[in-house]
Amino acid sequence: MEDIEDLLAGSGGGGAPPGFRLPINAVGVNPKYNKNKPRLHDNHLSKTGSLSPKIPGTESDSEYMAGQLSAFGYALTDNSEEADIWLINTCTVKSPSQSAMDTLIAKCKSAKKPLVVAGCVPQGSRDLKELEGVSIVGVQQIDRVVEVVEETLKGHEVRLLHRKKLPALDLPKVRRNKFVEILPINVGCLGACTYCKTKHARGHLGSYTVESLVGRVRTVIADGVKEVWLSSEDTGAYGRDIGVNLPILLNAIVAELPPDGSTMLRIGMTNPPFILEHLKEIAEVLRHPCVYSFLHVPVQSGSDAVLSAMNREYTLSDFRTVVDTLIELVPGMQIATDIICGFPGETDEDFNQTVNLIKEYKFPQVHISQFYPRPGTPAARMKKVPSAVVKKRSRELTSVFEAFTPYLGMEGRVERIWITEIAADGIHLVGHTKGYVQVLVPSTGNMLGTSALVKITSVGRWSVFGEVIKILNQVDDKIASNRRISSQVRQDKCSSCSSQNESSACSNEPDPSACGLECCEGKITLEEGQVSWIDRFAEDINSQNVIGWLLRKRKNQLKGVENDVALGSKKKQEWMGGNMGEWGVVDRALLGGMLVSFLIILALLIHVGFRTLSTK
């Protein structure tokens, strides 16, 4: 066996790797150039051992590796038989993933294909028997995957596991979904869970700078990305190693999102301990029209005794504080969580506490798994719960969870959704509401990458169905009309609120539970997902001069009048009057200042002219 560092010494391949992670499920890319390059079979193992796009971290690793190989001329294929070399990206969270890796390695060896294994499994367990005779790439060396593939095709067995500085964020990549950018904000974590082996592979916390992440967001938005997913082993821990925190990053990213709501931000998984001190700031970000009101907060158990054995560093009370606060402060907030059934030492009473917790909150998404001991972890040495009991508990909790109907009240509602992918049935498109509820709509026309208003026609257990009312291809038109419709929206919505909850609707204080919008004096009421003209004004003030904004404002008013001719002269006149009323004290002061400045300049010119004439 030879080390690739020695094989490639002096080749200049020392760039920083990308710290992303996400599955690309056998990317089928066949470049038209360099056709003599070998075909490469790219496979990714999910937590369940199947191909899945839901693993945080490993998926973007796969996208980066696919991008580099494709840029170098390799054709990626999902046909394992026609491939010249296999590349398997792995996850070490649970045993099934490693078992599936073992099966794929055996299949590859029997097919006598060259093989490269990447990801957490080889990084955390480099001495596995199954990895003998196999080239491996560590999680912080994926920027050199082309070198590893090249040397493996030459017959060399190479290993590249050395940890170095944070990976670059601007490497070539092939996105699994061209509308979705998976952006790692850090690598590693600060936790020490007794059952987890990911830290063995990913290491201690290493955060990207705010500037580098914001720069990446600018780039991908320019590329046409419609969703940015923040990826991390623990989003809440971001920045603690570099003197910043998660709210600072989130606010900086949100400031870069298009004000028309065309690109949405999804915040990644976070454990309770590190967001407790920032709950109000995070809630404020989650309320932003361009941020999904959704968060994945794993609890793992409803028993403090089990949480202590897991070394999760929080109590059930802490988890409740996180959930209760976010639900209270963020209208339409959706929270997903995780449960591990049968952790060593879990008693019937411990399990019942977990069941009661799930029943109480009725989470729309719960990821339920059975405990699997990972070699080398403290939990692997603990006394195990009998496997039959573990399976029974898992089935019981699954039955409880699947009995929920979280979307029952949505039928008949009108929601704004963001459409980014094709459903598995090939008939529907998949969109998400601001609360990240999955909505299936008929595939008509070119709606991928757009936003739309839909009416929910029916609800299911895992998603809802809708019919498209309007495609918001030009969301600027929607925003430009906000001022015209805001008064009517406010009146209609407040009337609806008062019929449901007269004590809270239309009061001077915002009530997040009433209709999910603010019926407050001095605020313009908008439909969910819209961006107010006040936000637009704030952005313009920051990026342009005041005079330019005033001119644009007046121009937009006149344009709105022209567009409204078809509505009739009466409505047009009413709207013009309403807009003239929007010129407040600041507007009038600025306009007055401009006029005074103009008169002073005119007076000076006249004075200079008279003096010139008198001199002659």
Side-chain angles (χ1 to χ4, degrees):
M1 177 181 16
E2 297 170 296
D3 189 296
I4 197 168
E5 299 286 354
D6 298 325
L7 287 170
L8 303 174
S11 65
F20 286 38
R21 318 173 297 110
L22 241 125
I24 63 170
N25 298 359
V27 174
V29 178
N30 296 295
K32 295 180 180 179
Y33 60 96
N34 207 354
K35 293 184 178 179
N36 293 327
K37 279 287 183 183
R39 290 179 178 270
L40 183 141
H41 180 56
D42 187 352
N43 208 341
H44 169 79
L45 296 176
S46 76
K47 290 188 287 188
T48 60
S50 61
L51 298 181
S52 166
K54 299 298 183 184
I55 309 296
T58 44
E59 186 171 353
S60 66
D61 281 355
S62 296
E63 290 184 348
Y64 270 119
M65 289 189 286
Q68 293 172 82
L69 291 163
S70 179
F72 201 71
Y74 284 92
L76 279 69
T77 177
D78 56 2
N79 188 328
S80 60
E81 294 182 359
E82 73 175 16
D84 298 285
I85 184 171
W86 285 26
L87 171 60
I88 302 173
N89 195 19
T90 63
C91 172
T92 190
V93 173
K94 301 188 181 98
S95 291
S97 177
Q98 186 169 323
S99 300
M101 180 201 73
D102 297 343
T103 301
L104 281 174
I105 289 176
K107 182 179 178 181
C108 182
K109 288 181 176 179
S110 65
K112 294 182 169 39
K113 301 278 189 179
L115 174 64
V116 176
V117 178
C120 294
V121 172
Q123 183 74 65
S125 307
R126 64 188 69 187
D127 297 326
L128 284 175
K129 181 180 179 181
E130 290 77 12
L131 294 176
E132 291 179 2
V134 173
S135 292
I136 57 179
V137 184
V139 296
Q140 293 187 17
Q141 297 283 3
I142 61 173
D143 59 335
R144 300 180 65 183
V145 66
V146 172
E147 302 168 15
V148 176
V149 167
E150 292 274 292
E151 294 302 323
T152 302
L153 284 169
K154 293 175 185 177
H156 297 130
E157 176 192 334
V158 293
R159 297 194 165 200
L160 189 57
L161 296 169
H162 176 68
R163 288 195 176 100
K164 54 180 183 179
K165 61 182 180 180
L166 281 176
L169 295 174
D170 57 356
L171 293 174
K173 69 188 299 187
V174 175
R175 293 188 183 94
R176 173 182 165 272
N177 184 329
K178 70 177 182 178
F179 297 113
V180 177
E181 169 72 9
I182 297 146
L183 180 61
I185 62 174
N186 54 5
V187 297
C189 69
L190 292 176
C193 300
T194 56
Y195 58 85
C196 182
K197 200 165 185 179
T198 301
K199 189 167 185 176
H200 294 196
R202 297 279 169 180
H204 199 66
L205 180 69
S207 302
Y208 290 97
T209 65
V210 173
E211 293 75 17
S212 64
L213 291 167
V214 168
R216 180 64 182 175
V217 169
R218 289 195 197 105
T219 299
V220 301
I221 290 176
D223 288 344
V225 160
K226 299 302 178 184
E227 289 186 3
V228 177
W229 296 359
L230 301 186
S231 171
S232 171
E233 278 80 25
D234 186 355
T235 302
Y238 170 79
R240 288 175 176 260
D241 57 320
I242 58 174
V244 294
N245 57 45
L246 182 61
I248 291 174
L249 173 66
L250 294 179
N251 284 306
I253 291 177
V254 165
E256 297 296 328
L257 299 177
D260 59 11
S262 57
T263 301
M264 296 293 287
L265 176 69
R266 194 184 83 175
I267 303 174
M269 185 273 287
T270 180
N271 290 309
F274 298 115
I275 63 169
L276 281 168
E277 62 190 272
H278 302 302
L279 281 177
K280 290 186 178 179
E281 295 97 320
I282 292 174
E284 183 177 354
V285 173
L286 289 166
R287 287 196 300 267
H288 191 280
C290 297
V291 181
Y292 284 121
S293 304
F294 169 84
L295 198 60
H296 178 194
V297 187
V299 64
Q300 304 299 6
S301 174
S303 164
D304 282 340
V306 174
L307 292 175
S308 177
M310 292 177 171
N311 196 31
R312 291 289 289 170
E313 300 180 346
Y314 59 86
T315 64
L316 184 60
S317 176
D318 294 332
F319 175 77
R320 287 180 180 276
T321 298
V322 171
V323 175
D324 293 343
T325 302
L326 293 180
I327 290 176
E328 177 187 358
L329 297 181
V330 184
M333 184 70 196
Q334 298 280 311
I335 293 177
T337 194
D338 298 350
I339 295 292
I340 297 176
C341 291
F343 188 82
E346 182 185 66
T347 65
D348 289 339
E349 176 58 27
D350 293 328
F351 176 68
N352 287 335
Q353 292 178 33
T354 299
V355 173
N356 291 336
L357 177 71
I358 300 303
K359 285 182 177 179
E360 177 184 351
Y361 284 98
K362 291 183 171 59
F363 298 106
Q365 297 181 40
V366 180
H367 309 123
I368 301 168
S369 63
Q370 300 174 27
F371 171 75
Y372 290 99
R374 304 298 293 121
T377 62
R381 300 189 296 270
M382 298 178 184
K383 185 178 180 180
K384 298 175 181 57
V385 176
S387 59
V389 175
V390 176
K391 292 178 182 178
K392 178 178 178 294
R393 290 174 180 173
S394 177
R395 287 193 296 267
E396 179 182 340
L397 186 60
T398 299
S399 296
V400 169
F401 165 61
E402 291 182 347
F404 300 156
T405 53
Y407 310 129
L408 194 59
M410 291 188 66
E411 189 169 353
R413 283 166 48 180
V414 174
E415 297 276 353
R416 181 178 181 179
I417 66 170
W418 288 263
I419 303 169
T420 56
E421 58 184 314
I422 301 172
D425 62 7
I427 301 174
H428 293 87
L429 297 178
V430 179
H432 292 90
T433 68
K434 189 179 186 301
Y436 212 67
V437 176
Q438 181 174 273
V439 182
L440 302 178
V441 296
S443 179
T444 56
N446 185 20
M447 294 195 295
L448 279 175
T450 67
S451 180
L453 292 178
V454 301
K455 181 178 181 180
I456 306 303
T457 56
S458 62
V459 300
R461 174 58 186 86
W462 311 108
S463 58
V464 302
F465 292 84
E467 59 181 22
V468 176
I469 298 174
K470 181 180 180 182
I471 299 174
L472 305 178
N473 285 324
Q474 297 178 347
V475 282
D476 281 336
D477 294 343
K478 180 83 174 177
I479 295 165
S481 68
N482 277 347
R483 271 182 278 180
R484 281 177 286 160
I485 67 171
S486 61
S487 297
Q488 185 63 39
V489 170
R490 180 173 178 174
Q491 180 180 350
D492 292 345
K493 291 297 182 181
C494 288
S495 299
S496 173
C497 288
S498 60
S499 64
Q500 299 173 19
N501 188 350
E502 295 182 0
S503 63
S504 62
C506 303
S507 66
N508 290 330
E509 294 297 325
D511 180 5
S513 66
C515 301
L517 51 89
E518 293 177 324
C519 300
C520 307
E521 184 177 357
K523 294 188 178 179
I524 291 180
T525 302
L526 304 174
E527 295 287 355
E528 180 183 65
Q530 292 179 349
V531 182
S532 71
W533 69 271
I534 296 175
D535 294 333
R536 191 73 171 270
F537 166 74
E539 184 195 41
D540 284 339
I541 286 294
N542 289 330
S543 60
Q544 305 289 340
N545 60 72
V546 175
I547 296 176
W549 178 80
L550 287 171
L551 295 176
R552 284 198 303 278
K553 176 178 179 180
R554 184 60 184 160
K555 180 180 178 182
N556 287 339
Q557 289 176 343
L558 295 175
K559 183 178 179 181
V561 173
E562 294 171 1
N563 292 339
D564 274 353
V565 169
L567 297 178
S569 60
K570 181 177 180 180
K571 289 185 178 180
K572 179 173 67 176
Q573 291 169 4
E574 290 175 353
W575 178 74
M576 288 178 64
N579 270 305
M580 291 302 294
E582 286 180 2
W583 287 79
V585 176
V586 176
D587 294 334
R588 296 174 190 275
L590 289 172
L591 186 58
M594 292 168 60
L595 291 174
V596 170
S597 299
F598 175 75
L599 293 174
I600 292 173
I601 293 171
L602 183 62
L604 288 172
L605 289 174
I606 294 173
H607 177 70
V608 170
F610 277 122
R611 292 194 61 179
T612 303
L613 291 174
S614 63
T615 301
K616 291 180 179 181

